[in-house]
Amino acid sequence: MKQIRNFLLAALLMSGTGLWAQAIGDYGSNATNNAWNTATNWVVCTTIGTWDGATTATTAPLATTNIWIRAGHAVTLPGSGNCLCNNLYVEGTLVSANAVTSPRYVRIYGNSMVVNGTFGSATDGLGLQLYGGSTQALTVSGSATVNFSRIQPQTAAAITFDANAQFNYGGSSGTGSTGLYANNFDYTVTINQGKTVTLADNSYFAVHGSSGSSAGASSLTFNINGTLYGSGANSCINFNTAIGKTAVVNIGATGELKSMAPIRIHYLNQGTTTVNIADGGKITSLAGGSLLIPKATITNNGIISVTGSNADSIGATTVSSTGSICINKTSSNLAFAGNSTSNGALTFTSGTVSLGNNNLTIGSTGSISGTSGSSYIITNGTGKLIQSVTAATPKLFPIGASSTSYDPVVLTPTDATDVSVNIGTTLPATAPANYTYNSKVWNIIPVTPSSTVVTLTPSSAISTAISDIVAQYVTDSYVNSVATKSNNAYTATFTTFSPFVTGTTDLGTALAQTTITGVTFDGQTIHNASNIDLQVFDSAGRKVISSSKDINMASNTRGVYLVKSKSGIIKIVLAK
């Protein structure tokens, strides 16, 4: 009967309040002391739920012993000896004899650590080593913020933070080291909703023991339903894994990964890394930090936000209709390091995005907003911006050739189509005589071509000579079309598409008939009585003949030609 009564009492204490109560055989602190492994510093529970009647321990705590630091007691972990426990409950104070630069560990074998009192401090060396084996699934809970110097797993394990926690270890020199890391064991970390795990300045999270590009020989799953916060300029977060290993970062609907230091997720190494951001979840690179995810596969249903002045990069990214990428950079840019698709919002406040050799596709539900002369997409390689364009509706392609050159395109097609656009600075060929082109070339490729009003705006434009030009490069030569120009924007209509350039000509393709003294045209021959130097150009601006004698045009294609000399220009029509 007594056993049944004790069982019912324990069940009532645990299930009714959600709190643990001491069980028979649990150890409680006897008083304030600094000798964990001295048996007489502990009492042993003899009645479930109370320390009344507890007896003095006869052996030091073992790996199977539940430890209670009782309210009003302050226990200091000694500087030497293995300090073991199964589960750990702190209602009073537990600290170590060491400074934060020299971790002193409790070896925990169980699945529960509850802190309602004080565990460690920002300057204390108190930490945990997980010894419970591959089935260990430790939950850290309680009402207090738990200060760890370091957590160092000794086997594959899982740890869940259901309490606020801070990691303070910055190495023996204090200038930087891992406070929370996998220690080359497969590892699962979870931060529950409403809880924040903070890395103090110079304290890192890493799969490896390093903050940088080094890869850890571990597979890692990190579930962030609360907040993982790198609070200092050197609070680095490093998810790099080695060849054959995987890292999965799941950011839930209430989760946020944010840091004032670099966030490195598959930075330089060859493991497989996946980042999943749920609707409502966030990755935020704060001012002074950087987001470096160049080789990961990213599914973004939430928000990726980059700020500050350091370079950021993300790998192949899919943004859903609920997702967004927010750019607010004071300098440098966000680089796409893989082909990416956005069905959500790409929002610029300040700064640029660069594509390199990767395409960025804006899906049918996607959008780009906030672009300007200082906030746009740089096509600094073969990568293209791809967008769907509605029939008879102008569509802006906010692109530029570099961080100092905004060169946008606006397309208004007759028929709806998807269009890819990029811009370069190397012209396909030298401009023909009497033509001068701006040093930008736009590659515009619609899936379904139709008559399209094209407006091209180079960041700087040459002054108009006689006529403004948009030219296409077709079959090794330029085909020039008269354009209207407003400020730096050149507009013309096209039905075929190839590389486009803009510029001006002094040939006057809209020129009315003028005269050149001694030169006449009878409909077939240009008579040059004074034998002056003449140049003949076709309507595309190509020079077709140079001569100081009479010129028989009979072998040329009918059309409009310009005849130019030093003394003037005449326009002729060959109508054969």
Side-chain angles (χ1 to χ4, degrees):
M1 289 297 295
K2 183 178 179 181
Q3 289 177 330
I4 295 174
R5 185 175 66 252
N6 288 343
F7 174 79
L8 292 174
L9 176 61
L12 179 63
L13 288 168
M14 290 186 285
S15 64
T17 65
L19 299 174
W20 287 93
Q22 59 269 38
I24 295 173
D26 287 0
Y27 277 31
S29 54
N30 194 16
T32 294
N33 68 81
N34 62 358
W36 182 284
N37 290 324
T38 299
T40 55
N41 287 330
W42 304 99
V43 294
V44 181
C45 175
T46 59
T47 304
I48 293 175
T50 181
W51 294 109
D52 292 344
T55 60
T56 302
T58 58
T59 60
L62 303 174
T64 56
T65 306
N66 295 331
I67 293 291
W68 295 76
I69 309 300
R70 297 162 64 189
H73 292 176
V75 175
T76 301
L77 216 65
S80 61
N82 295 328
C83 299
L84 312 180
C85 72
N86 183 40
N87 297 314
L88 176 63
Y89 307 95
V90 181
E91 302 293 333
T93 298
L94 179 61
V95 293
S96 81
N98 291 16
V100 69
T101 54
S102 180
R104 183 75 179 99
Y105 300 107
V106 175
R107 293 187 176 185
I108 189 165
Y109 290 76
N111 293 324
S112 182
M113 174 178 170
V114 181
V115 180
N116 296 313
T118 299
F119 184 98
S121 72
T123 59
D124 190 83
L126 186 60
L128 282 186
Q129 288 180 326
L130 276 61
Y131 267 87
S134 60
T135 61
Q136 186 175 20
L138 176 67
T139 295
V140 178
S141 61
S143 60
T145 296
V146 186
N147 273 280
F148 295 102
S149 170
R150 193 182 211 187
I151 289 183
Q152 185 185 69
Q154 300 299 305
T155 64
I159 183 168
T160 296
F161 292 94
D162 197 36
N164 295 324
Q166 178 163 308
F167 289 85
N168 302 300
Y169 180 64
S172 58
S173 64
T175 58
S177 189
T178 47
L180 174 62
Y181 75 121
N183 198 25
N184 290 331
F185 293 103
D186 292 347
Y187 202 31
T188 297
V189 180
T190 300
I191 304 173
N192 282 351
Q193 180 177 348
K195 306 305 178 183
T196 298
V197 173
T198 301
L199 302 173
D201 196 18
N202 297 314
S203 189
Y204 316 146
F205 167 79
V207 181
H208 187 269
S210 164
S211 70
S213 60
S214 299
S218 308
S219 289
L220 172 79
T221 299
F222 208 126
N223 304 306
I224 303 174
N225 299 307
T227 301
L228 176 60
Y229 176 36
S231 67
N234 197 33
S235 302
C236 303
I237 298 172
N238 176 3
F239 290 94
N240 293 325
T241 56
I243 295 173
K245 298 295 182 178
T246 61
V248 179
V249 182
N250 297 312
I251 301 176
T254 57
E256 182 174 13
L257 167 58
K258 63 180 182 179
S259 182
M260 298 176 65
I263 300 171
R264 299 183 173 104
I265 306 176
H266 201 157
Y267 179 41
L268 293 175
N269 301 289
Q270 301 302 315
T272 300
T273 305
T274 303
V275 180
N276 301 306
I277 309 172
D279 184 6
K282 300 176 183 179
I283 293 182
T284 305
S285 173
L286 299 170
S290 57
L291 182 61
L292 302 170
I293 323 178
K295 295 184 179 181
T297 300
I298 306 166
T299 301
N300 179 24
N301 300 304
I303 300 172
I304 295 175
S305 179
V306 293
T307 62
S309 59
N310 295 324
D312 303 285
S313 65
I314 58 178
T317 303
T318 300
V319 182
S320 76
S321 59
T322 64
S324 63
I325 298 176
C326 301
I327 315 299
N328 188 9
K329 303 284 293 176
T330 55
S331 62
S332 299
N333 62 46
L334 169 65
F336 279 89
N339 292 328
S340 298
T341 298
S342 177
N343 293 302
L346 179 60
T347 303
F348 289 85
T349 300
S350 177
T352 55
V353 164
S354 63
L355 300 186
N357 295 328
N358 306 292
N359 294 336
L360 173 60
T361 300
I362 307 299
S364 58
T365 59
S367 64
I368 303 173
S369 63
T371 56
S372 66
S374 60
S375 299
Y376 53 90
I377 297 167
I378 301 171
T379 61
N380 54 331
T382 60
K384 304 173 183 65
L385 173 61
I386 303 170
Q387 296 192 92
S388 298
V389 186
T390 304
T393 303
K395 186 72 169 186
L396 171 66
F397 287 73
I399 62 172
S402 70
S403 60
T404 58
S405 181
Y406 180 47
D407 312 282
V409 177
V410 176
L411 302 177
T412 311
T414 301
D415 300 328
T417 184
D418 290 344
V419 184
S420 64
V421 178
N422 78 350
I423 184 170
T425 57
T426 302
L427 300 186
T430 302
N434 302 102
Y435 284 81
T436 304
Y437 297 139
N438 298 302
S439 59
K440 303 292 166 58
V441 54
W442 291 264
N443 295 289
I444 302 173
I445 305 173
V447 173
T448 306
S450 64
S451 179
T452 301
V453 179
V454 177
T455 299
L456 308 172
T457 306
S459 58
S460 61
I462 55 180
S463 300
T464 301
I466 296 175
S467 297
D468 295 302
I469 294 295
V470 173
Q472 291 178 275
Y473 191 71
V474 182
T475 318
D476 300 327
S477 62
Y478 289 101
V479 177
N480 294 281
S481 299
V482 176
T484 59
K485 183 184 178 191
S486 176
N487 295 320
N488 284 3
Y490 297 76
T491 300
T493 300
F494 297 92
T495 57
T496 60
F497 295 83
S498 51
F500 290 88
V501 299
T502 58
T504 189
T505 179
D506 61 4
L507 290 178
T509 55
L511 187 69
Q513 183 73 39
T514 62
T515 60
I516 301 175
T517 302
V519 177
T520 60
F521 180 61
D522 62 9
Q524 179 170 314
T525 300
I526 301 169
H527 297 281
N528 186 1
S530 301
N531 293 326
I532 61 176
D533 290 332
L534 299 177
Q535 295 177 319
V536 181
F537 295 85
D538 64 15
S539 60
R542 290 181 289 247
K543 183 168 68 175
V544 293
I545 301 171
S546 294
S547 177
S548 58
K549 299 180 180 180
D550 292 349
I551 301 172
N552 188 334
M553 299 291 291
S555 61
N556 290 280
T557 304
R558 64 183 180 180
V560 176
Y561 292 84
L562 298 176
V563 181
K564 182 181 178 183
S565 74
K566 291 182 179 180
S567 60
I569 299 174
I570 61 173
K571 180 168 67 176
I572 64 173
V573 178
L574 182 63
K576 66 174 183 174

